[in-house]
Amino acid sequence: MNFPQNLKYTNEHEWIRVEGDMAYVGITDYAQEQLGDIVFVDIPTVGESLEANETFGTIEVVKTISDLFLPVAGEVVEQNESLEENPELVNKDPYGEGWLIKMKPANLKDIEDLLDAEAYKAVIND
């Protein structure tokens, strides 16, 4: 299982990667493995400002739908359009082509409070 060191993680199995004043958000390798084959991603919050831990969308697998939670407060700027035709990208490349949203964090310092790779590994190994 893959845990990139350059990302921050949440207890709800989302990751966040900062690029300048923007950030990309997706679900972890562990989460996609636990969910199984992803068949649909719904992100109705593009253009909205949300608080940390608010639901920004859902991810659908064959037997269930799971909520997606924003790691930090900010505005959802863009969704990964590639997932409309190819939701399986989340399974194949959760940290790359399978990213879910691009956001503008309200405060970049909030990201420092999230889990690093080692702390996230401890969460899923409990």
Side-chain angles (χ1 to χ4, degrees):
M1 198 164 304
N2 191 7
F3 303 96
Q5 298 293 319
N6 65 323
L7 305 177
K8 289 291 195 166
Y9 301 87
T10 70
N11 287 317
E12 291 77 31
H13 311 292
E14 279 84 21
W15 59 261
I16 187 167
R17 179 181 71 238
V18 176
E19 291 187 9
D21 64 344
M22 301 300 268
Y24 288 85
V25 176
I27 64 168
T28 65
D29 195 19
Y30 173 82
Q32 71 77 23
E33 187 176 278
Q34 295 297 306
L35 286 168
D37 292 337
I38 294 165
V39 296
F40 187 70
V41 177
D42 183 31
I43 311 221
T45 54
V46 173
E48 292 183 28
S49 290
L50 303 172
E51 294 300 315
N53 299 313
E54 271 194 88
T55 302
F56 70 84
T58 57
I59 200 159
E60 186 174 336
V61 294
V62 176
K63 295 182 180 174
T64 190
I65 296 175
S66 296
D67 287 336
L68 298 164
F69 300 98
L70 205 60
V72 294
E75 180 185 354
V76 178
V77 176
E78 180 184 332
Q79 68 181 15
N80 184 347
E81 300 289 342
S82 299
L83 300 181
E84 288 181 24
E85 297 289 323
N86 301 298
E88 69 278 1
L89 287 173
V90 178
N91 292 114
K92 291 179 184 167
D93 189 11
Y95 301 118
E97 291 183 21
W99 62 273
L100 300 174
I101 61 167
K102 187 175 179 181
M103 68 171 296
K104 183 167 180 57
N107 185 348
L108 286 170
K109 290 212 177 280
D110 291 343
I111 295 168
E112 295 170 13
D113 296 333
L114 298 174
L115 304 170
D116 64 16
E118 294 308 310
Y120 180 66
K121 278 187 213 177
V123 166
I124 65 171
N125 289 325
D126 274 351

